[in-house]
Each structure stands twice: as C-alpha cells, then as structure tokens.
Amino acid sequence: MKIPSVKGFHDVLPGESARWARLESTAREIFERYNFGEIRLPIVERSELFRRSVGETTDIVEKEMYTFSDRDGSDLTLRPEGTASAVRAYVEHAMQGVDPVTKLYYFGPMFRRERPQKGRLRQFSQIGAEVIGRDDPAVDAEVLVMLADLLRGFGIESAEIGVNTLGCAECRPGYREALVAWGESRLDERCADCQRRLRQNPMRLLDCKQPQCVGMRDEAPKMIDHACAACRNHFDRVLRLCDAEGVALTMQPYMVRGLDYYCRTAFEVVASGLGSQNAVGGGGRYDGLVQSLGGPAVAGIGFALGVERLALVLEAQGAAATTAVPEFFVAPLGEAAESAAFGLTHRLRVAGARVEMDSGSRSLKSQMRRAGKLDVPYVIILGEDEVAGGSITVRDMRARTDRRGIAPIDTDVETLRAALAAVATTAAAEERV
Ligand code: AMP
C-alpha cells in the first residue's frame, strides 16, 4: 500500500527545485552585497520562544503551531517563523560583541497548521533577513531598498510594497485605546475571535480575515494619525530615502502584520498571480524584541519572503520550470563497452560536464529513445567497433549525423568539445557553399 505525504506538506521536484535554487542563489548574492551573513537556525525551538515573541493572542500561537512534548517532557515547537529564532541566536551568542550592527539572512522551512490551499501550506519555505542593533531610519530604508533589489533580481514584475507605521511604546497605547473604542462601537457584528481579543490585542481587529470584520475596517482609526513626533519623523525619513532610490512604496494605513513584536515601520509585499494568498513577504521593525528575549536593549528590523509564493508568481508570469539537460548521453553496447563507457563518463563528470550514462545491456534503439526524451544534444556511442578501434562515435541529435572516430575513448572533455565545435563549423561552411 502506498503511503501518501501529509496534508499541507509537499515535495519540491527537480525542475521546480531548480527554480528554488535560482531564487536562493539570487537572494544570497544580493544579501552578500548588502553585507549580510548567513545564519543556519534549528527547526525546533522551545515553545516559550514563540509565545513570548510572536504573542499569545496571535493566530500563529493560538491555533497554528506544531507543538509537542519531547520524551523528557520539554515543550517544543517546529518554528513557525524565523525572526524569533534569529533573535534567540543573537542573544545566545552575544553577537553585539562582534559588531554593534548584526546583519543575518536565512533560508529554510517554517511550519504553521493553517488550512491548506493554493499558496498556503503547512510546511513552507522562507528567505529572510534581519538587522539587529540600530533604530536608525536609514536601516529601515536599507532593508526596503534591498527588498526591492531582491524582487527585481528574482524577476518578479508585479510586486508592490505596502508600508505603514505601527508606532512605539509612546504612541501605541493611545492608538490602542482609539481602536478599542472603535471596536466596541459595533462589537456584536464582529467575529468571535475579534470579540474575545478586543481588549487584549485590538491591533488584531485590523488583520482579521472574516468577511464581516474586513468590511468594517475602512472606518477604523489609523496609526499614522496617532503617531508621536518621533515616529512620524522616523517614518518620513524612511519614505524619503526610499523615494530617492526610486523604490515605490504604497501607504497602507491598516496593515498591522500578524505578529505582536512589530513597531514603527511595517511592510508587506503583494504580487499578482496568487489568488487570495497574494502576500509574498512581509516584515518590519521590532525594537523591543531583543530585550524581551533576554538580550540587550537594541533595535531590530527584518522580513521574510515565501519561496512557494515567489515560485507561483514566476510561474504565473510564464517563466517555465526548467529541467537541466545533460550535455552528453553515453550509450554503451555490451559489457566491454560498458566498462569503457563507465570510465569515460566519470572522466567527463570530473571535468565538470553534466553526463548521463545508460546500461550496456540495453539496445541502441531504446538508449537513443531515452536520450531523445531527455533532449540531450550529443550521444556518445560505444559499441564493439569503437572499443576495438579505441575511439568514440558521437551522434549529433539536432543535426541527426553520426561522427565516427571523432575522439579517442580516453578523451578529455576539452578535446571532445573542440572536436564537436570543429565539426559544427565545417558543416555550417559546407551548407553555405
Ligand atoms: P508572515 O510572517 O506570516 O507575513 O509570512 C511571510 C511570508 O511567508 C508570507 O508573505 C508568505 O509568502 C509566506 N507564508 C506565510 N505563511 C505561509 C503558508 N502557510 N504557506 C505558504 N507561505 C506562507
């Protein structure tokens, strides 16, 4: 009997994984230009880490975490996001001692028990970055400009970056009161979650997904109208620096993000081609988080992009997933030829060529059929004659020509490529005559 994969947990197959690898290598290149260093974080953390950072009354902590009791009774969780882990690592390794500004990036799977649908999985992968140590608006702008560079680097055409300010310890309490007052005015029309969370966490009223709550949102008070002078100045400077670099930002006065630790600058990236799950990434400033996790009183800011959703956007834009094609297919006929083919294949691979080899017990016809399916440009044929003569025959699959004795069996890859190129040039010249 087959054992299927678990709902919401997907395989990423070759072709699709090549797209992922390209996204990751582009991200790596851009992160390194901005002087970020990669951190590899564990997948399992103490549950307490997320309760304290993401927040007890968030959807993630209330409903979505994969929490389990280990055999020794410790309360553990499969990480639902990366920032808490990055900050935990920063504190644990006292990274402020290395440089007052710590810039980290990470790749990896996150786990949330959400209802699966297109673009929403229970295991999904993120590309994330964090800057810890400075509350300067130039850092927010650096992060946003880098985010725009990343999206451009990925080839995402339709992305829009929405921003908001979430205030600080000074001005947030006044805004919370305004939100509670607004929430209470039509409390009975709200969903059960919002009714329950109103006093504990009124910011959650703004990102509730229930239709009746979404409908009321446009009348809500805006944080920007309650922001203190310091928060306003901070936000203005972020916007100005981004504007000067041509990074377009859209003001979204009701965007609050689904996690409690954010303050001041918050942002979200949306793109078309995803249906209802149109957010490809998000992030923001988290100035109190490091201290609340036992570290120094330093500021932080970061974001995460969802790899599955980036891949879906690229697919919707018509970028096909590409399967890598071998440069050579080695087709041996019989056991003696297979031994020679085995050595030749290994030599070509060591020299850096992508090579597929078939089995000497299969007919030439079936090997050729397979090579054709793989779309390989050159098949190296090794039959009895070739072994006896010590040279190889190469079939050019595009030109449909066989070149007997084009190179010795012990050829190196450079000689072989040069011989094939010379043949192609001669053939082209003959055609012109
Ligand atoms: P968040 O921290 O929730 O804003 O997540 C950041 C990004 O991760 C989102 O914009 C998505 O691209 C991605 N993401 C979050 N949750 C999921 C999920 N359940 N399935 C797939 N991608 C997700």
Side-chain angles (χ1 to χ4, degrees):
M1 210 164 68
K2 288 185 205 160
I3 302 174
S5 63
V6 178
K7 184 175 165 188
F9 292 73
H10 286 193
D11 302 305
V12 181
L13 305 181
E16 186 59 11
S17 68
R19 201 202 293 275
W20 282 42
R22 275 198 303 279
L23 285 167
E24 287 177 359
S25 67
T26 303
R28 198 179 287 283
E29 202 185 305
I30 292 172
F31 286 143
E32 299 281 342
R33 276 186 226 166
Y34 281 81
N35 197 33
F36 283 63
E38 185 180 9
I39 185 161
R40 302 212 180 193
L41 296 159
I43 282 167
V44 173
E45 298 275 5
R46 292 174 201 279
S47 306
E48 166 76 6
L49 175 67
F50 304 110
R51 285 202 206 105
R52 218 195 297 164
S53 58
V54 174
E56 295 277 6
T57 50
T58 55
D59 276 352
I60 293 179
V61 171
E62 278 187 350
K63 308 176 190 167
E64 298 169 358
M65 293 207 303
Y66 281 96
T67 294
F68 61 97
S69 178
D70 200 358
R71 283 166 199 267
D72 64 1
S74 23
D75 184 2
L76 304 180
T77 291
L78 298 186
R79 62 179 187 193
E81 59 108 39
T83 302
S85 299
V87 171
R88 196 259 319 129
Y90 173 88
V91 174
E92 193 159 330
H93 304 286
M95 291 190 202
Q96 71 278 10
V98 181
D99 184 341
V101 185
T102 303
K103 296 159 108 176
L104 305 170
Y105 71 91
Y106 59 85
F107 301 127
M110 307 293 159
F111 304 84
R112 296 183 195 172
R113 202 173 190 291
E114 296 191 79
R115 199 168 48 78
Q117 63 180 82
K118 183 184 172 193
R120 191 159 74 193
L121 297 141
R122 292 180 168 176
Q123 175 179 331
F124 57 96
S125 197
Q126 285 187 336
I127 295 176
E130 316 288 345
V131 183
I132 306 174
R134 287 264 195 277
D135 64 359
D136 196 315
V139 173
D140 308 38
E142 184 186 17
V143 165
L144 283 162
V145 169
M146 179 171 78
L147 179 60
D149 281 2
L150 282 166
L151 296 164
R152 196 174 328 114
F154 295 152
I156 305 256
E157 292 154 6
S158 62
E160 197 176 283
I161 306 177
V163 283
N164 192 15
T165 178
L166 299 182
C168 65
E170 281 290 305
C171 51
R172 181 91 68 83
Y175 179 56
R176 278 178 62 113
E177 271 175 37
L179 269 180
V180 171
W182 167 73
E184 276 175 341
S185 67
R186 289 166 71 185
L187 191 60
D188 49 348
E189 293 169 50
R190 296 185 182 278
C191 74
D193 272 348
C194 284
Q195 296 196 13
R196 182 171 51 79
R197 287 171 180 175
L198 174 67
R199 295 218 145 265
Q200 288 169 303
N201 198 346
M203 305 278 277
R204 296 277 73 81
L205 299 187
L206 297 179
D207 66 353
C208 178
K209 308 282 185 306
Q210 297 299 322
Q212 70 266 39
C213 300
V214 173
M216 280 186 265
R217 201 181 52 197
D218 287 350
E219 307 144 22
K222 298 174 182 161
M223 181 66 229
I224 189 74
D225 297 331
H226 291 76
C228 61
C231 282
R232 260 172 202 277
N233 290 339
H234 182 101
F235 195 51
D236 281 351
R237 180 137 179 83
V238 175
L239 298 185
R240 269 205 305 276
L241 286 169
C242 288
D243 189 50
E245 294 316 303
V247 173
L249 302 172
T250 314
M251 182 65 195
Q252 269 167 13
Y254 298 123
M255 189 249 295
V256 291
R257 313 267 309 123
L259 300 84
D260 280 356
Y261 51 62
Y262 288 118
C263 63
R264 290 201 161 166
T265 317
F267 48 94
E268 212 152 66
V269 186
V270 296
S272 51
L274 287 171
S276 61
Q277 302 301 313
N278 66 347
V280 293
R285 192 160 262 298
Y286 46 81
D287 290 348
L289 182 62
V290 181
Q291 198 171 21
S292 80
L293 292 176
V298 295
I301 181 167
F303 65 81
L305 293 157
V307 180
E308 288 81 358
R309 292 193 195 168
L310 290 171
L312 281 172
V313 173
L314 290 175
E315 197 183 316
Q317 282 178 200
T322 47
T323 313
V325 173
E327 182 178 359
F328 300 108
F329 184 98
V330 182
L333 303 167
E335 200 176 292
E338 190 182 79
S339 306
F342 200 79
L344 172 64
T345 301
H346 186 209
R347 214 167 35 256
L348 296 177
R349 287 174 176 162
V350 167
R354 186 177 185 113
V355 189
E356 178 59 9
M357 181 188 136
D358 213 321
S359 153
S361 60
R362 282 160 43 84
S363 71
L364 181 62
K365 198 172 156 196
S366 53
Q367 295 197 53
M368 286 317 240
R369 202 179 308 123
R370 186 171 162 229
K373 262 196 171 162
L374 292 177
D375 205 24
V376 183
Y378 297 110
V379 179
I380 298 174
I381 300 169
L382 275 176
E384 273 174 27
D385 290 353
E386 281 80 9
V387 174
S391 64
I392 57 174
T393 296
V394 175
R395 180 167 299 176
D396 181 329
M397 300 292 276
R398 307 269 144 75
R400 297 175 177 277
T401 49
D402 280 357
R403 301 286 169 181
R404 286 183 191 285
I406 190 167
I409 285 186
D410 60 0
T411 183
D412 60 72
V413 74
E414 301 309 333
T415 312
L416 178 57
R417 283 180 183 145
L420 289 167
V423 167
T425 319
T426 324
E430 277 166 7
E431 248 173 49
R432 273 201 299 279
V433 171

